[in-house]
Amino acid sequence: MPPREVPPRVRPAQLEPEDFDAIREAVMETPRGRWFLDEFSTRLRRAEHSSLQDSMRRLETAIASNHDEVMSRLASVLRSEAEEAAEPVRPAAETRLAPRHMRYYRADEDIFEPAPEATLAAVPRLLDMLPPEEPAPAPRRRIIITRHKPGEPFDVPLAEELPRAS
């Protein structure tokens, strides 16, 4: 079934925008209503899509049939923009504050230029600013209990063989 033309959206005088939600909820209550809204949105999308494709085809045809004219216009626009860019730009009028107001401001050079007395040695080392590390606590002694059946030989691990506890 080919898609029908969708009529323009004309809102009846007696309906308000708030009524749309109530009507939609009423239609969505039944399976047939949900199918209807889904089908309507599909058909609407299909109609919009085909309309957009037709517009693009017309645009492509217009450009293809007038290719030489379009290219000459494009070249002239690009040439004029290049000429405008080549023209010297007049500097804007410099706005300055009155000398009495300048005492509240510093020049950019004064802000971003390092002071003559600033040296690397004058910057404190961050490591020196950290509090001293606390000494690591002494390792605790542990008792190891090994269970075995009577008469079964077993080895008692030496302290050096045990994994270090962290």
Side-chain angles (χ1 to χ4, degrees), residues 20 53 60 71 85 91 95 116 123 130-131 140 154 156 165:
F20 174 79
Q53 280 182 329
E60 288 173 351
M71 293 308 287
T95 56
V123 178
L130 293 175
R140 296 186 333 192
F154 67 93
V156 177

Side-chain angles (χ1 to χ4, degrees), residues 20-153:
F20 174 79
D21 291 330
I23 294 169
R24 182 180 177 277
E25 290 300 319
V27 172
M28 288 294 287
E29 287 179 358
T30 65
R32 189 172 181 185
R34 288 189 290 274
W35 171 85
F36 172 78
L37 287 179
D38 185 44
E39 185 67 23
F40 180 76
S41 67
T42 302
R43 290 181 183 187
L44 183 63
R45 261 185 269 127
R46 193 177 302 138
E48 289 174 349
H49 187 252
S50 64
S51 172
L52 183 60
Q53 280 182 329
D54 290 342
S55 300
M56 290 174 64
R57 273 192 216 99
R58 285 195 308 270
L59 182 61
E60 288 173 351
T61 304
I63 290 175
S65 64
N66 300 319
H67 182 265
D68 294 336
E69 184 181 344
V70 169
M71 293 308 287
S72 66
R73 283 186 182 179
L74 180 62
S76 67
V77 167
L78 291 175
R79 236 181 278 117
S80 66
E81 286 181 3
E83 290 170 1
E84 288 176 8
E87 291 178 9
V89 179
R90 291 188 355 214
E94 190 174 325
T95 56
R96 302 215 30 104
L97 293 173
R100 62 185 176 166
H101 297 299
M102 284 304 292
R103 67 180 176 186
Y104 299 111
Y105 299 98
R106 292 174 51 196
D108 292 342
E109 294 79 18
D110 296 340
I111 295 173
F112 297 110
E113 189 173 304
E117 68 275 358
T119 62
L120 196 54
V123 178
R125 290 190 50 207
L126 293 177
L127 294 176
D128 295 339
M129 296 172 67
L130 293 175
E133 287 186 25
E134 296 179 16
R140 296 186 333 192
R141 298 185 64 110
R142 298 181 181 215
I143 297 175
I144 299 175
I145 299 174
T146 308
R147 296 187 178 181
H148 61 87
K149 293 180 184 174
E152 182 179 75

